[in-house]
Amino acid sequence: MSRGPVRVLRLGLRPYAEALRVQERCVGAARAARAGPGPGPGPGPGPGPGESVVLSEPAEPVYAWGLRGAPEAEAAARLRARGAGLAAARRGGRITFHGPGQLLAFPVLDLRRRRLPLRGYVAALEALVLRLCRRLGLAAARALPPPFTGVWMGDSKLCAIGVHCGNHITSHGLALNCCTDLTWFDHIIPCGLEGKGVTSLSRELGRHVTVDHVLQPFLDSFQEVFDCTLVFSEDPGD
């Protein structure tokens, strides 16, 4: 039995900071939905229980880090000099890169309602990406045992995962390299992992794979893993 609708917000090519702002509005809607309907018939958080997934492709290069791993001032200046933005995010994980050619997916789900522990949620995100990879013909992709997260091809990370969970409502999520310019990763230690590399769907499949190419198989996999129906919305404010 489906666990109900999840609203899909497809932002397209947008600045990273804008995707974060849309995500925060969705978190507020999920909290409001849990609290119950308001006293009047006015606009609510959207269909269903208030769960959402925000999909975007970063419009400009940006280095982002989680609750730890902020770059020192000199390193930050070097990254800015290369034309990248810098952003701190309320998620787990160290510094990584976001930019064009990368799918960002920020699921906003109620883990208490789903009776899903946080580690189980991270495993579900990994399972989602593995299903997507199989749909695209990349059967060798795999998840590694804890403490590693994400989806890997050998020793190279294909998809990074970094999540936040406040009062059982999730935010942030995953970054899947589709046709990302991987040279941006050369200037950092991605996710703080020494001796590990990064890769992309385009590199592994030997053909150009854009974010648009993977959106539908991603959503098909999301629907299967999280046992939900999808309600589409192009307006992040509705």
Side-chain angles (χ1 to χ4, degrees):
M1 180 182 295
S2 171
R3 293 182 181 271
V6 172
R7 186 171 61 143
V8 180
L9 295 100
R10 295 174 291 192
L11 304 185
L13 197 66
R14 298 286 184 95
Y16 177 70
E18 185 176 340
L20 292 182
R21 287 193 294 270
V22 173
Q23 169 192 252
E24 289 309 308
R25 290 200 292 271
C26 291
V27 169
R31 289 173 177 160
R34 178 190 285 174
E51 293 186 316
S52 304
V53 56
V54 180
L55 304 177
S56 68
E57 178 181 358
E60 298 99 14
V62 59
Y63 291 99
W65 57 91
L67 301 178
R68 51 185 179 162
E72 300 290 340
E74 185 178 343
R78 287 198 301 268
L79 296 176
R80 285 195 189 95
R82 296 185 179 278
L86 299 178
R90 292 186 61 208
R91 59 159 173 80
R94 296 181 180 270
I95 192 167
T96 191
F97 171 77
H98 300 306
Q102 188 181 72
L103 172 63
L104 291 185
F106 297 157
V108 179
L109 304 179
D110 187 338
L111 297 190
R112 183 171 70 184
R113 188 179 69 84
R114 290 175 172 273
R115 299 181 181 178
L116 186 62
L118 184 58
R119 178 59 219 173
Y121 171 63
V122 172
L125 292 179
E126 292 169 340
L128 187 170
V129 177
L130 290 173
R131 283 179 183 242
L132 167 63
C133 289
R134 288 197 293 271
R135 281 185 156 96
L136 297 176
L138 199 59
R142 62 190 178 121
L144 300 180
F148 295 101
T149 60
V151 171
W152 299 75
M153 289 292 297
D155 282 336
S156 295
K157 185 176 280 191
L158 175 67
C159 177
I161 292 176
V163 303
H164 175 76
C165 187
N167 196 25
H168 304 283
I169 303 294
T170 66
S171 57
H172 298 279
L174 62 85
L176 174 64
N177 295 324
C178 299
C179 55
T180 319
D181 179 356
L182 300 177
T183 62
W184 286 100
F185 290 95
D186 295 343
H187 313 298
I188 59 172
I189 301 174
C191 304
L193 298 175
E194 297 273 5
K196 301 290 186 182
V198 291
T199 190
S200 67
L201 290 172
S202 293
R203 173 178 286 183
E204 297 300 331
L205 291 170
R207 55 185 171 86
H208 190 61
V209 181
T210 68
V211 171
D212 285 345
H213 289 149
V214 305
L215 279 177
Q216 190 55 53
F218 176 90
L219 290 170
D220 291 341
S221 301
F222 185 97
Q223 193 166 8
E224 292 168 359
V225 169
F226 289 107
D227 188 23
C228 62
T229 56
L230 301 178
V231 179
F232 293 88
S233 172
E234 302 298 337
D235 183 358
D238 68 1

